[in-house]
Amino acid sequence: PVAALDWANTLPEGNGKNRALRESFSEWARENPQAAADRLGSMSSSPERDSATYGYATRVAWENPTAAIQWANTISNEGTRANALMETGRAYFRKDPEGAKQWLSKSGLNEEQQKRVTSSNSKRERPSVGSLLEKISINSPTPQHRCSVLIYHDYRVVSNDRVTVLF
């Protein structure tokens, strides 16, 4: 993850760099959440830090949703912060519905966003901006290893559970 982060920092400013940082921090948070958090804490407020924080928060949300929400709240861009809070909130709601409901009432999310957190139709998939080309289901002998990969026609990184497709 550190090598991917170093590479991402060489990219020109913009969406590509931000996506690369988000994915790098997500992976780093999986491998070593404390080291990733330390690096995030040393970054200045910027769109790049927002993307990195989004990746970090949405990864750690499944193990520690309250910490993830605290990190998501440090995102300076309002739209990015709301998306991160909804995604981390969904993890919280699945892990502790009562705790998540209490948090939602003071989360700062509007009514529609709160519904998206608690809706049974909410998935971890990021909102799409391209057209869905294909959904590939990958089956394994054990249920916990089954997943789906969504492929969009817009040349973006698309993640679903622990599978990442970059094309």
Side-chain angles (χ1 to χ4, degrees):
V2 176
L5 179 60
D6 290 342
W7 170 80
N9 280 317
T10 68
L11 297 172
E13 303 296 317
N15 288 338
K17 181 175 187 171
N18 291 341
R19 281 192 191 95
L21 287 168
R22 181 177 64 218
E23 296 301 324
S24 295
F25 269 89
S26 177
E27 187 60 25
W28 198 4
R30 184 183 64 76
E31 290 185 15
N32 189 339
Q34 187 58 54
D38 291 346
R39 181 74 172 262
L40 273 176
S42 72
M43 295 174 72
S44 301
S45 181
S46 66
E48 291 81 11
R49 184 186 188 279
D50 284 353
S51 294
T53 303
Y54 187 105
Y56 178 85
T58 56
R59 173 64 74 162
V60 300
W62 300 97
E63 288 80 32
N64 189 342
T66 55
I69 287 167
Q70 289 175 340
W71 277 105
N73 272 314
T74 69
I75 295 173
S76 58
N77 178 282
E78 186 177 331
T80 304
R81 183 175 56 250
N83 285 334
L85 286 170
M86 285 186 289
E87 192 165 342
T88 56
R90 282 191 289 271
Y92 192 12
F93 187 74
R94 287 183 182 158
K95 192 167 190 162
D96 178 8
E98 290 307 311
K101 286 177 187 175
Q102 290 175 8
W103 163 75
L104 270 174
S105 67
K106 56 184 182 269
S107 67
L109 295 173
N110 66 38
E111 187 176 329
E112 176 59 34
Q113 291 166 332
Q114 290 182 29
K115 286 180 185 175
R116 289 172 65 185
V117 170
T118 60
S119 169
S120 62
N121 293 328
S122 293
K123 302 289 183 201
R124 286 188 65 208
E125 303 151 2
R126 293 188 176 103
S128 71
V129 293
S131 58
L132 181 65
L133 280 183
E134 187 173 357
K135 179 176 180 179
I136 302 171
S137 291
I138 302 169
N139 292 314
S140 142
T142 56
Q144 66 268 25
H145 292 111
R146 292 187 181 137
C147 66
S148 296
V149 177
L150 303 178
I151 300 176
Y152 293 88
H153 187 300
D154 65 354
Y155 304 99
R156 297 181 185 269
V157 175
V158 179
S159 294
N160 184 292
D161 290 329
R162 295 190 183 259
V163 177
T164 301
V165 179
L166 175 62
F167 55 100

